Amino acid sequence: RTIEELVNEFGINVLRVAVYTDEAGYAYGTDATREMMENVVRKAAEITYRLGIYLIVDWHMVGAEHEEDKNPLTHLKLAQSFFSKMSKEFADYDHILYEIMNEPNGPTTWNDCKTYANLVIPEIRKNTDAIILVGSTQWSSNLNAVMQSPLEGYDNIMYTYHFYAATHYSTSVLANAYDKGLPVFVSEHGGMDSS
């Protein structure tokens, strides 16, 4: 009912479901935790389909409790398994986008992100040509690294950018990405600082 109200009263057209890896989430939780999170994605897929809006399935790693969660390679096998399962289950749904890594940060490099993406994207592509959203370093705000060395050989790929007005100040990196033909999806934004 809440999502229906957001659609009808606020005009939202996308819902982002965060599947946390950290904080007793998908990577550190129990099998029951994983099943519950998968069921949330299933329910969201049904609701968003019925309401005619998009759903982003977000692998939400932030390194909040476990320092190693700042690098997407930490849970590579688990991510491959999750996205393989979800993309197979929702292969016929044309409204689902897969955000394969949220906010890589700390010492993580763009090469780490590319390695991870090149190993996770094929798992999704076995089942669907849905849009895949790829994060970048510095909490998904480093489009400069992406522009210097984008992923190659894939269709329907977009790069996420997280913009918080009191932290990032300028939208010039977005303008530069646009000028270079780099597809960007702002999957987080706010008028405050990023913390």
Side-chain angles (χ1 to χ4, degrees):
R1 181 151 170 91
T2 301
I3 298 168
E4 194 167 336
E5 288 296 312
L6 289 168
V7 170
N8 294 333
E9 300 299 321
F10 291 89
I12 71 162
N13 62 4
V14 64
L15 176 71
R16 182 175 182 231
V17 173
V19 176
Y20 268 73
T21 59
D22 203 348
E23 299 175 358
Y26 205 87
Y28 298 100
T30 63
D31 288 342
T33 301
R34 290 187 186 110
E35 184 62 29
M36 179 210 51
M37 295 175 103
E38 290 172 7
N39 285 334
V40 168
V41 173
R42 290 181 184 104
K43 189 66 174 172
E46 292 172 17
I47 292 168
T48 53
Y49 180 80
R50 180 174 52 82
L51 295 174
I53 66 172
Y54 293 100
L55 172 66
I56 298 173
V57 178
D58 165 35
W59 189 251
H60 204 85
M61 35 147 305
V62 292
E65 288 186 7
H66 296 89
E67 187 71 20
E68 64 273 14
D69 275 355
K70 295 178 179 194
N71 189 317
L73 291 167
T74 300
H75 302 298
L76 171 64
K77 295 294 185 200
L78 201 55
Q80 287 174 309
S81 173
F82 173 80
F83 283 110
S84 176
K85 183 177 188 177
M86 293 291 104
S87 63
K88 186 173 188 176
E89 190 168 331
F90 302 119
D92 295 330
Y93 287 64
D94 62 0
H95 73 294
I96 297 180
L97 294 78
Y98 297 95
E99 186 170 5
I100 62 172
M101 63 180 133
N102 173 76
E103 297 192 341
N105 61 79
T108 303
T109 67
W110 173 237
N111 280 336
D112 294 333
C113 296
K114 284 181 70 174
T115 298
Y116 169 87
N118 282 320
L119 294 168
V120 172
I121 291 170
E123 296 300 319
I124 297 170
R125 285 293 177 255
K126 289 176 186 174
N127 304 307
T128 180
D129 66 350
I131 292 172
I132 297 173
L133 305 175
V134 180
S136 63
T137 58
Q138 299 172 0
W139 296 272
S140 290
S141 67
N142 189 2
L143 289 178
N144 288 322
V146 176
M147 284 184 274
Q148 291 172 10
S149 180
L151 290 166
E152 295 178 0
Y154 302 111
D155 293 325
N156 288 341
I157 300 292
M158 298 182 81
Y159 300 93
T160 58
Y161 185 71
H162 293 177
F163 180 82
Y164 289 90
T167 299
H168 300 112
Y169 304 110
S170 171
T171 58
S172 64
V173 70
L174 288 171
N176 291 341
Y178 177 80
D179 290 342
K180 290 188 179 285
L182 194 75
V184 177
F185 190 105
V186 178
S187 61
E188 285 187 24
H189 65 89
M192 70 293 288
D193 72 30
S194 59
S195 66

